Each structure stands twice: as structure tokens, then as C-alpha cells.
Amino acid sequence: MKSMAATSRALITSASLLILVLVLPNAQGLPNGKRILSGKRMPRFSPGPWKPARATFYGGADGSGTKGGACGYEDPFALGYGLQTTALSTALFKNAETCGACYEIKCANVTEGCNPGQQSIFVTATNVCPSGGWCSSPQEHFDLSQPAFLQIAEYKAGVVHVQYRRVPCKKQGGVKYSITGNPNYNLVSIANVGGAGDVTKVEVKGSDDQAWKPLWRNWGQKWQINDKLVGQMLTFRITTSDGRTLISRNLFPREWQFGQTYEGKNFR
């Protein structure tokens, strides 16, 4: 009987070891050591339905007048947005929640000033259209840069009916992070985000304590944290409105300084 019991225990032990051998590679053998707890990866951001709206333009023919704005992108050209930008009506802007979102827009009525044979354009939200007139809530309106507007409509039209939809942001290069402030006050600017484009959550982890710390939206795509981060390597984790998360590990070196910009990974 003792021999049979010993044999049973040996078989159980062997079976347990076999299970461990089969399970552990699946849990740890993913790229970059990532684990998929749910068994599913978050799907990529997909285009939304077409909706009606109106469009106007602001700024000069060279894009002057579109720098700065309510999203905190001081220089859209340097950040990679170029002239394909738009200000959103307050109903679309949603208190800066849609800063960085991308839209496909096409003119809807060729008889009112649309360019004949015009194609749709793709723009990034970088500003808010001041409340009043076409931009008043609940109207959905796009105040395009002048060069973007002229791709779909005539200058003399002034305002046109359009069709629009949310689309994935296709960006060159990685997400850009920069910090301004002082040792006890950090304002992190985030730009050039792919995928959904609009960041809803930001966390940072310093090399000293290795704990994720949340930032809160100060305004636009500027996020604040009052912890001391100077002298630490910094890892950032951002989440977009579609629930996808992106981690840029040890993006900032220990010797980083205020005002510097570092480029991390991007959504695809």
C-alpha cells in the first residue's frame, strides 16, 4: 500500500510540473514581457459613423493664427500636426477631452461652395472654436485651418455643410513628452498620439520607488503632478479613450531637464 501511495504522489507531482511547464511560457513568452490577462488584446481604434456638421476656417493662408490654442500644442508644426488641424465647437471639444482626436471631413453640397471633385481631408483637433455663432452648443462644427478648408471648399464660401467621422490617427514617429515646471511642480505635455489620439489618463513611474503615480489634466493635453521627479528615470503610461494603454519605459534619463522633449512608442 505504501508503494502505491508513493507512486500516486509521484504521478500527481509530475502532472503538476507538466502543467507549470505548459502554462508559464504562455504567460511570460509574450513580446516585452507583457501578459494578456483576459486572453484578448484591445482592438485598434476603428472609424466611427458619418455625421453631419458645418465647417469654417480661421488663421492665414500659411497656417498663421493656428499656433497655441486650448489643447496646449504651442507649435503644431514642430509637433508634426502641420496645417491639417481644426478647432472644435464646444459640443465636440468636450472640455479638452478630444484634444488630439482625428477626423475625416468631406464637403457635403457642391452647390454651396464645395470644390468640384474634392476629396475628404484628415485633420487633428488642436483647439476650441470660441462659443458663439456656429460654434455654440449643441452644434457640431469644425473651424479648420485655412489651408485645410481650401482643400474641400472655396474661400468665398465661408461656411459649408460637411460630413465627418472619427478616424484613427496615423502619426509619424512616436508620442512626444515634455515637462515644464520646477522640482515640486511638473506639467507634462503629450502630443503626436496615434490610434484614438485623445489621451484620457496619464501615469508616471520614477526609478526610485517604482510606483505608478497618476497625473491630472491641468488643461488641454497638459497633465500635472506635484511629486519630485527630478533625478529619476521616468516611465510613462498613457491610456486613450478607446481603453488602449501604451508604456514607454525609462523614457526620461536621470539627467533630464525641464523643457526637454523625449519621444516614446506610439499606437499603431
Side-chain angles (χ1 to χ4, degrees):
M1 293 297 292
K2 289 182 180 181
S3 177
M4 292 180 63
T7 300
S8 299
R9 285 196 295 271
L11 289 173
I12 293 171
T13 301
S14 299
S16 300
L17 288 173
L18 179 60
I19 291 172
L20 285 172
V21 169
L22 291 174
V23 171
L24 286 177
N26 289 333
Q28 296 178 342
L30 297 170
N32 301 321
K34 294 179 181 178
R35 300 186 180 190
I36 306 175
L37 299 181
S38 65
K40 295 182 179 179
R41 289 186 183 274
M42 289 295 295
R44 293 185 178 185
F45 187 82
S46 57
W50 287 100
K51 298 179 181 180
R54 290 186 178 89
T56 51
F57 67 87
Y58 77 112
D62 60 352
S64 59
T66 61
K67 287 187 176 183
C71 289
Y73 305 132
E74 283 82 3
D75 189 346
F77 308 106
L79 293 172
Y81 297 123
L83 299 172
Q84 299 299 108
T85 60
T86 186
L88 302 176
S89 62
T90 53
L92 290 172
F93 189 66
K94 299 179 181 177
N95 294 320
E97 290 180 9
T98 49
C99 283
C102 296
Y103 299 87
E104 182 179 6
I105 301 173
K106 58 185 179 181
C107 210
N109 188 348
V110 72
T111 63
E112 66 173 10
C114 296
N115 289 332
Q118 56 86 26
Q119 302 296 316
S120 59
I121 59 173
F122 296 87
V123 294
T124 302
T126 59
N127 204 350
V128 65
C129 180
S131 183
W134 297 117
C135 295
S136 295
S137 185
Q139 297 186 91
E140 297 190 340
H141 186 87
F142 295 87
D143 202 16
L144 300 163
S145 71
Q146 186 180 145
F149 180 85
L150 294 179
Q151 292 173 45
I152 60 171
E154 299 174 353
Y155 181 93
K156 64 182 181 181
V159 58
V160 292
H161 287 83
V162 297
Q163 291 285 320
Y164 81 94
R165 63 177 180 171
R166 277 284 301 272
V167 294
C169 295
K170 298 179 181 180
K171 301 301 181 183
Q172 295 293 322
V175 177
K176 294 179 173 65
Y177 301 80
S178 61
I179 302 180
T180 57
N182 59 58
N184 297 306
Y185 168 79
N186 306 275
L187 196 62
V188 180
S189 300
I190 302 175
N192 201 50
V193 182
D198 49 349
V199 177
T200 59
K201 184 178 181 181
V202 180
E203 299 163 282
V204 66
K205 179 167 63 176
S207 55
D208 288 355
D209 59 11
Q210 292 292 313
W212 286 113
K213 298 176 181 178
L215 287 76
W216 65 91
R217 190 192 301 272
N218 185 296
W219 64 281
Q221 282 297 356
K222 292 185 178 291
W223 298 78
Q224 180 179 339
I225 184 170
N226 294 337
D227 287 35
K228 186 175 181 179
L229 303 178
V230 174
Q232 300 186 65
M233 289 189 294
L234 302 180
T235 294
F236 283 93
R237 180 166 64 188
I238 61 173
T239 304
T240 47
S241 61
D242 59 347
R244 295 178 72 199
T245 298
L246 183 70
I247 298 176
S248 293
R249 301 184 188 281
N250 299 325
L251 181 64
F252 280 46
R254 288 186 182 276
E255 63 274 14
W256 68 267
Q257 297 180 5
F258 291 106
Q260 294 177 327
T261 298
Y262 293 88
E263 190 170 304
K265 297 179 181 179
N266 213 334
F267 293 99
R268 300 299 179 199

